[in-house]
Amino acid sequence: MASLQLQPSMHFNLFVFLCVFGTFVSGQFTNFNKLVLPQGVTGPESAAFGPLGTGPFTTVADGRILKWQGPTIGFVDFAYTSPRRTKQVCDGTRDPNMGPICGRPLALSFNPVTGLLYIADGFFGLLFVGPTGGLATQLAGGFKFLVGVEVDLLTRNVYFSDASLTYDIRDTTKPGFVPDSTGRLLRYNPHTRQVSVLLSGLSGGGGPAISKNRTFVLVPELTGKRILKYWLVGPKANTAELFLNIGGNPNKIKRAGRFGEFWVAVSTGFIPPAPLIVSQGIRFNSNGVVLQTVSFAKEFVNKTISLVQENNGKLYVGSRFTDFIGVYSN
Ligand SMILES: *[C@@H]1O[C@H](CO)[C@@H](O)[C@H](O)[C@H]1NC(C)=O
Ligand SMILES: *[C@@H]1O[C@H](CO)[C@@H](O)[C@H](O)[C@H]1NC(C)=O
């Protein structure tokens, strides 16, 4: 019986085939699952993981921050931002006008060292909550429409952003809504407890991200369709420059699993409106080189997305318009 003997060249070809094909397949995120919210609840805009990989935690339209406890239990209550919030009145509401009563948290950032969870709320400003959850504590208020937050693990400075000085989240779905260019990048200093305005005049907000070596912060302009780089150190410290033009509306930016890389959630056909909204995740490096684009159009049909969060090789995709967090894996 002649057994199949691979010639050296065949070995080589097989090796090349597996490398090329293997790499291609492993990075495409073709498997899709949903982490479904409790009955009637919508709008999971964020997906943050706790210090020991717990979660994800997410912010929903009825004002709660929920924690994923695995497939058998699902999502459970973790925290809330409004001192006036009651479960009777608020749980399950989708009415944006309830925001000033129920709260509308929109972005999360954990400090794994302290275990504190920082929250940007559309009505209740910048807050934090401890590891046991409950009512969050306000750090800074008086904002119209906070949309993004990220805490620096070393300095504990909190970088956060608002979308506008003139409109809030309720206005964005009104007929004839016209966005302006009054968004800002802000910084909360935990030692002085003061907020500084780092950038103003931004065209829409999203979520800022601090670079891995903490030399700059990336700032998305949702309606400006671009990402700015705000230098924290060096000769250009405290100035911003264009980092990357995006062919759509970039929302939150988050660091990717690989050193120095990021994911940004992008929707096209959102502002200005087009007949069909298409959403995707774009991965890029610290030099602004785009490395990968993953389409979410099939599972997020005609829906904008807010966030792409990589965790353990999976992508968690958040949206204001779904009742689930999308999970893409290989
Ligand atoms: C997408 O959504 C918009 C706004 O709701 C709607 O006008 C449009 O018809 C939708 N397009 C498709 C193809 O469903
Ligand atoms: C930080 O990262 C950037 C981009 O990768 C690089 O250009 C820069 O030299 C790094 N700075 C330090 C202090 O390591």
Side-chain angles (χ1 to χ4, degrees):
M1 288 292 288
S3 63
L4 177 65
Q5 287 288 313
L6 293 180
Q7 298 303 309
S9 66
M10 289 172 74
H11 274 293
F12 179 74
N13 285 339
L14 187 62
F15 175 73
V16 169
F17 174 80
L18 285 176
C19 284
V20 172
F21 192 67
T23 309
F24 178 75
V25 169
S26 75
Q28 293 306 297
F29 301 103
T30 43
N31 294 328
F32 177 70
N33 280 294
K34 292 176 179 181
L35 306 185
V36 180
L37 296 175
Q39 187 70 36
V41 179
T42 60
E45 291 224 12
S46 51
F49 286 85
L52 298 168
T54 50
F57 296 73
T58 190
T59 53
V60 294
D62 73 13
R64 283 178 289 176
I65 293 157
L66 304 176
K67 179 185 181 181
W68 178 252
Q69 293 278 45
T72 36
I73 298 175
F75 282 101
V76 297
D77 285 12
F78 178 69
Y80 55 103
T81 52
S82 166
R84 299 164 63 194
R85 189 181 196 286
T86 64
K87 290 183 71 63
Q88 292 80 353
V89 171
C90 295
D91 280 11
T93 185
R94 300 170 182 210
D95 180 359
N97 293 314
M98 295 299 280
I101 294 162
C102 301
R104 182 49 172 120
L106 293 168
L108 298 173
S109 174
F110 260 107
N111 182 337
V113 181
T114 60
L116 299 184
L117 176 62
Y118 292 84
I119 306 156
D121 187 283
F123 296 97
F124 291 89
L126 179 68
L127 311 95
F128 76 96
V129 70
T132 55
L135 177 61
T137 305
Q138 195 186 59
L139 292 170
F143 308 104
K144 192 90 179 166
F145 189 3
L146 287 194
V147 285
V149 64
E150 184 163 55
V151 59
D152 183 329
L153 306 187
L154 223 58
T155 62
R156 291 189 289 121
N157 282 327
V158 184
Y159 294 87
F160 61 113
S161 54
D162 55 9
S164 173
L165 298 176
T166 65
Y167 62 82
D168 69 28
I169 189 171
R170 291 169 291 187
D171 300 314
T172 60
T173 47
K174 286 179 184 160
F177 166 71
V178 181
D180 63 11
S181 295
T182 59
R184 299 178 300 175
L185 174 68
L186 306 149
R187 176 167 57 204
Y188 173 81
N189 179 323
H191 306 293
T192 63
R193 300 182 182 193
Q194 297 299 305
V195 171
S196 338
V197 178
L198 305 181
L199 292 173
S200 54
L202 301 178
S203 297
I210 307 166
S211 74
K212 193 82 179 179
N213 68 12
R214 304 169 53 255
T215 51
F216 58 85
V217 175
L218 293 182
V219 188
E221 289 190 284
L222 186 85
T223 57
K225 297 186 175 180
R226 58 183 192 166
I227 295 172
L228 303 180
K229 181 183 202 171
Y230 179 86
W231 288 97
L232 296 175
V233 298
K236 291 190 265 184
N238 309 318
T239 65
E241 63 191 33
L242 176 64
F243 178 74
L244 186 61
N245 283 309
I246 302 281
N249 302 116
N251 202 322
K252 298 184 206 308
I253 303 172
K254 292 286 174 183
R255 281 200 300 275
R258 278 193 224 162
F259 192 91
E261 296 181 2
F262 302 85
W263 284 101
V264 63
V266 175
S267 299
T268 56
F270 173 32
I271 300 173
L276 185 68
I277 291 168
V278 175
S279 288
Q280 54 190 205
I282 297 178
R283 182 166 60 92
F284 54 89
N285 67 18
S286 296
N287 299 317
V289 176
V290 172
L291 305 169
Q292 185 177 13
T293 299
V294 180
S295 175
F296 307 128
K298 203 164 125 251
E299 299 80 17
F300 289 80
V301 180
N302 204 16
K303 286 184 167 65
T304 63
I305 59 165
S306 321
L307 160 122
V308 177
Q309 174 72 60
E310 184 179 338
N311 187 65
N312 263 337
K314 296 178 181 174
L315 301 183
Y316 293 78
V317 179
S319 169
R320 190 172 297 176
F321 301 99
T322 57
D323 62 2
F324 62 86
I325 290 176
V327 186
Y328 292 84
S329 58
N330 293 305

